[in-house]
C-alpha cells in the first residue's frame, strides 16, 4: 500500500484514555497470576501468601511534564518517585521498591544527575522504599525519567476504582487546586525572566502553592489513618488529572453517577488567593487543576461516624448515585452542572 492509501487517525481524536483502550483491548490475561491489568492506579499480581503485589509506572518528559527552567533537579527526582508511590497508596497498598530509569543528553553533567538522585534518595528514605534497579540511556535532546513502583497489599484490603456503590460517601484528603496555582506563578516568572533576565523572581510569598507543585507528597498517612480506624474504602484513586476527571474514572468504572457539593470541596486559602491573582476561578482549579496527589475515595455510609473521628485533613464532598442520574456538581448557589473530564493540560484561563 502506498503511503497515501495508509489510513491515518489523529491521536487527539481518541484522547489519552481512548487511545490506551484502543491499543490494549486485544490483550487478554494469559496468566492466572494477573489479577488485574490495565485500568487502575496499579496492576495487581497474585503471589503465594496473604499479599498481592502491586506495580505502577510513569514516564516524565522534559517540556511536557516538567520545565527545568523552574523545576530544581532534586525536586524533580523527588517528585518523579512520589507520584508513583501515590499510585500504590491509591490501591490501599504499601510501596517497597522502585526502578528508576533515565534518558539524558550531553547537555547534562554528572553533577546534574547527582542532584536528581539526591531527590530520589530523599524520597526513598522518606517513604521507606528501596531503589532496586533501572535503565540508563543517552537521548538526542532533553531529559526523560521513568519510575516503576512495586508494592504490596493484603488481599482482602485491596481497593480498586471500579467498586464504588450507590449511596457511598465521596471523600478527599487535603486540599485541591494548589499545585495548579503554583504552576501559574512559575510560568509567570519564567515569562518575566525570558523577557528581562535581570529581574529577581517574586516567589517567596507563595511557598505553599509552589511546594504543592514542585515537591508533592503521597498520602501514606491517610492510608494508615483509614487502616487504624478500620475503614476500608469501597473505591479509591489518587488525584493526578484533577478531581473532576478522577471521580469520573471511579464512576465510569463502577457504573455509577455522583453528586459533588461545591461548598464541601477543600481549597486552601493560599490557592484561593493565588487563583484570584491569575483571574482564575478557585473552584475550576480544584476541579480541573490536577497534580494534587491527594486520595479520592468512597466509603460506606455506615463508616461515617468512624471517619468523623479521624477529622484530620479529610472532607466528605459528595455521594455516589445511580449512573442514570449523571455526574453532577451542585454549586453554592444551588445550580447543578455536569462534571467535565478536563485534564489540566487542556485547562484554559477563565
Ligand atoms: P495514573 O494516572 O493513575 O498513573 P494512567 O491514567 O496513567 O493512570 O493509566 C491508566 C491505566 O492505563 C493504568 O492501568 C496504566 O497501567 C494503563 N496504561 C497507561 N498507558 C499504557 C500503555 N501505553 N499501554 C498499556 N497500558 C497503559
Ligand atoms: Mg493514579
Amino acid at each position: 500500500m502506498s503511503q497515501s492509501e495508509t489510513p491515518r487517525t489523529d491521536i487527539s481524536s481518541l484522547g489519552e484514555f481512548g487511545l490506551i483502550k484502543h491499543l490494549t483491548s486485544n490483550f487478554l490475561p494469559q496468566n492466572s497470576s494477573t489479577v488485574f491489568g490495565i485500568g487502575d492506579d496499579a496492576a495487581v499480581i497474585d503471589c503465594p501468601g496473604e499479599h498481592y503485589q502491586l506495580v505502577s509506572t510513569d514516564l516524565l518528559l522534559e517540556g511536557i511534564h516538567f520545565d527545568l527552567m523552574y523545576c530544581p533537579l532534586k525536586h524533580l527526582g523527588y517528585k518523579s518517585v512520589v507520584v508513583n508511590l501515590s499510585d500504590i497508596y491509591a490501591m490501599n497498598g504499601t510501596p517497597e521498591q522502585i526502578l528508576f530509569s533515565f534518558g539524558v543528553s550531553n547537555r547534562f553533567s554528572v553533577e546534574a544527575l547527582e542532584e536528581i538522585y539526591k531527590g530520589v534518595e530523599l524520597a526513598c528514605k522518606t517513604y521507606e522504599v528501596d531503589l532496586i534497579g533501572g535503565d540508563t540511556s543517552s537521548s538526542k535532546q532533553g531529559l526523560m525519567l521513568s519510575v516503576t513502583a512495586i508494592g504490596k497489599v493484603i488481599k482482602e484490603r485491596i481497593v480498586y476504582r471500579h467498586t464504588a456503590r450507590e449511596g457511598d460517601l465521596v471523600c478527599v484528603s487535603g486540599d485541591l487546586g494548589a499545585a495548579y496555582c503554583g504552576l501559574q506563578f512559575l510560568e509567570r516568572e519564567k515569562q518575566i525572566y525570558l523577557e528581562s533576565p535581570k529581574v529577581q523572581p517574586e516567589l517567596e510569598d507563595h511557598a505553599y502553592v509552589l511546594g504543592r507543585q514542585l515537591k508533592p507528597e503521597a498520602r501514606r498517612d491517610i492510608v494508615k489513618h483509614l487502616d487504624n480506624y478500620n475503614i476500608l474504602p469501597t473505591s479509591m484513586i489518587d488525584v493526578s488529572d484533577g478531581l473532576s476527571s478522577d471521580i469520573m474514572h471511579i464512576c465510569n468504572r463502577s457504573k455509577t453517577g455522583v453528586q459533588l457539593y461545591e461548598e464541601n470541596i477543600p481549597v486552601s486559602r493560599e490557592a484561593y488567593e493565588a487563583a484570584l491573582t491569575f483571574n482564575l476561578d478557585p473552584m475550576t482549579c480544584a476541579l480541573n487543576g490536577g497534580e494534587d496527589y491527594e486520595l479520592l475515595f468512597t466509603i460506606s455510609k455506615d463508616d461515617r461516624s468512624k471517619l468523623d473521628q479521624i477529622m484530620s485533613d479529610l472532607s466528605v464532598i459528595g455521594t455516589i448515585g445511580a449512573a442514570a442520574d449523571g455526574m453532577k456538581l451542585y454549586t453554592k448557589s444551588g445550580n447543578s452542572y455536569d462534571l467535565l473530564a478536563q485534564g489540566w493540560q487542556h485547562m484554559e484561563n477563565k
Side-chain angles (χ1 to χ4, degrees):
M1 207 178 343
S2 76
Q3 220 180 2
S4 61
E5 291 165 24
T6 310
R8 190 189 186 286
T9 310
D10 275 334
I11 289 174
S12 61
S13 67
L14 295 176
E16 182 186 344
F17 304 113
L19 179 67
I20 296 169
K21 211 171 172 184
H22 178 74
L23 295 174
T24 61
S25 58
N26 292 336
F27 289 76
L28 300 175
Q30 302 177 70
N31 297 291
S32 60
S33 53
T34 307
V35 177
F36 195 93
I38 297 162
D40 215 302
D41 292 291
V44 184
I45 300 169
D46 201 6
C47 38
E50 61 171 350
H51 291 98
Y52 286 132
Q53 199 151 53
L54 301 168
V55 188
S56 177
T57 196
D58 266 316
L59 181 62
L60 297 174
L61 300 177
E62 183 180 355
I64 305 287
H65 299 99
F66 58 89
D67 187 329
L68 290 173
M69 267 196 79
Y70 51 66
C71 187
L73 292 167
K74 186 175 171 185
H75 285 8
L76 178 62
Y78 189 86
K79 180 172 174 175
S80 68
V81 174
V82 164
V83 301
N84 263 270
L85 305 184
S86 178
D87 280 324
I88 302 292
Y89 293 121
M91 307 297 291
N92 207 29
T94 309
E96 293 191 329
Q97 290 89 16
I98 57 159
L99 297 156
F100 188 87
S101 307
F102 62 85
V104 71
S105 71
N106 57 13
R107 174 160 70 88
F108 292 84
S109 62
V110 173
E111 287 75 17
L113 293 170
E114 283 173 356
E115 273 303 296
I116 294 176
Y117 268 74
K118 276 186 198 161
V120 172
E121 192 183 339
L122 182 60
C124 285
K125 286 212 173 100
T126 307
Y127 290 91
E128 296 165 296
V129 298
D130 302 318
L131 173 65
I132 58 162
D135 197 15
T136 306
S137 170
S138 57
S139 89
K140 282 252 162 98
Q141 45 177 280
L143 178 64
M144 187 221 86
L145 304 177
S146 169
V147 182
T148 300
I150 302 167
K152 66 177 186 186
V153 60
I154 294 174
K155 287 177 183 170
E156 300 88 69
R157 297 196 67 84
I158 189 163
V159 180
Y160 292 104
R161 294 176 180 180
H162 62 262
T163 39
R165 299 163 308 199
E166 239 182 284
D168 286 349
L169 302 174
V170 181
C171 312
V172 72
S173 63
D175 56 70
L176 301 172
Y180 183 78
C181 293
L183 184 63
Q184 303 311 302
F185 282 116
L186 293 166
E187 286 287 346
R188 182 179 76 180
E189 293 309 313
K190 177 182 168 181
Q191 289 313 320
I192 293 172
Y193 175 82
L194 289 173
E195 281 157 31
S196 4
K198 285 194 184 129
V199 177
Q200 286 298 309
E202 276 182 36
L203 293 170
E204 297 83 45
D205 295 340
H206 313 297
Y208 180 69
V209 295
L210 290 170
R212 296 282 285 165
Q213 169 60 222
L214 293 174
K215 192 171 176 287
E217 300 292 352
R219 297 311 303 261
R220 166 173 64 168
D221 56 331
I222 297 293
V223 171
K224 275 197 184 139
H225 271 319
L226 293 173
D227 192 37
N228 288 344
Y229 284 84
N230 200 22
I231 299 173
L232 186 64
T234 53
S235 69
M236 186 148 63
I237 188 170
D238 66 329
V239 183
S240 51
D241 295 335
L243 172 62
S244 188
S245 177
D246 289 321
I247 191 66
M248 289 177 80
H249 284 312
I250 285 188
C251 291
N252 287 329
R253 297 239 164 228
S254 305
K255 302 192 168 51
T256 66
V258 70
Q259 290 90 49
L260 295 184
Y261 298 99
E262 180 186 4
E263 61 190 331
N264 296 345
I265 294 174
V267 178
S268 66
R269 183 183 49 79
E270 292 88 344
Y272 188 90
E273 286 169 6
L276 296 186
T277 306
F278 292 101
N279 220 6
L280 292 165
D281 172 15
M283 196 44 58
T284 307
C285 295
L287 285 166
N288 300 322
E291 290 205 285
D292 298 306
Y293 299 103
E294 296 295 343
L295 289 175
L296 174 65
F297 57 94
T298 56
I299 61 165
S300 161
K301 267 206 169 95
D302 301 340
D303 284 336
R304 175 76 204 232
S305 54
K306 283 194 246 170
L307 191 83
D308 288 342
Q309 287 170 43
I310 303 183
M311 291 303 284
S312 70
D313 226 10
L314 285 174
S315 307
V316 178
I317 60 170
T319 313
I320 295 291
D325 294 333
M327 298 180 247
K328 306 263 184 209
L329 175 75
Y330 289 86
T331 64
K332 289 173 191 163
S333 52
N335 296 320
S336 76
Y337 295 95
D338 287 332
L339 290 172
L340 296 171
Q342 289 167 297
W344 64 270
Q345 307 88 315
H346 313 300
M347 192 165 138
E348 285 168 21
N349 290 10
K350 272 185 93 179

